[in-house]
Amino acid sequence: MANQKTLSESLREHGVTRRGFLKFCAATASMMALPPSMTSAIAAALEQARRPSVIWLSFQECTGCTESLTRSHSPTVENLILDVISLDYHHTLQAASGDAAEAARMQAMEENHGNYLVVVDGSLPGPGANMGYSTIAGHSNYDILMETVEGAAAVVAVGTCAAFGGLPQAHPNPTGAVAVQDLVSDKPVVNVPGCPPVPMVISGLLAHYLTFGGLPELDGYNRPLAFFGQSIHDRCYRRPFYDKGLFAATFDDEGAKKGWCLYRLGCKGPSTYNACATMRWNAGTSWPIESGHPCLGCSEPS
Ligand code: FSX
């Protein structure tokens, strides 16, 4: 529970230089589609900020969302956890286990009542379902979620499973899986869908919360507009081929080799809103369409 330090104190403790700090602020401004002139305002806000306590709950999921977060490169997951937030509970990343892990969650809830963020990945069996399908330390996912969000400032549903039900909810939905927003109605819920979500979108949302002390503007699906405001199609580097009517018809024809549009191969880019085309994956190396595969539309409901 080291969240009583300001961010700048924490950064100094971890040997982060002023230049490195400003680079992080510039990356945060860019992620949130803010002008570069906002960098100094973000730096000033972050220097005064107390690191918010974050409790991360994992339910019915594949751990891809956490795997994605660990590939965040600006900020890195180390920056994020050591410098930006106080990650007080996370099954996969925490050292504690068993009773000690659950005690850490209870302590974070008590000490930060009303102020902590709850991040959830995975869907969970809803009311009427067999709660035994998914339990942690003998408690149902439902009980853990409701107990933890009671004192939260806001809830972030990370991944399409938490945001919309995702793979566990696919027909015939054997576990009666529901999304977080189906259960939480008295706290703000932000959805960060994707299977998995773009790592920089997860860390960018947390950085936004810390910088501005609140949640960003959301779209109709409660997704942050800064990241989900434009379709994959609108930002796709293959878009000029679509506009000229040049399409790959198979995965290995001349059109595919020339990098033409993948729409006729089933690409869901025109109806999918996400930041893959600009933020890309693996430290900005590439993204599915650049690898020759159509968009699957993973960040949309159903
Ligand atoms: Fe779901 Fe995430 Fe896909 Fe996996 O936590 S959004 S199955 S990447 O892991 O929840």
Side-chain angles (χ1 to χ4, degrees), residues 1 3 53-55 86-89 101-116 151:
M1 311 296 147
N3 58 333
S53 173
V54 174
I55 298 175
S86 176
L87 188 63
D88 293 326
Y89 181 88
E102 293 310 302
R105 179 169 66 89
M106 301 309 286
Q107 190 181 345
M109 287 163 54
E110 279 169 28
E111 290 181 358
N112 305 287
H113 194 270
N115 296 314
Y116 59 85

Side-chain angles (χ1 to χ4, degrees), residues 60-65 121-122 158-161 167 194-196:
Q60 298 186 128
E61 40 79 31
C62 77
T63 311
C65 299
D121 63 9
V158 163
T160 300
C161 299
L167 286 175
C195 190

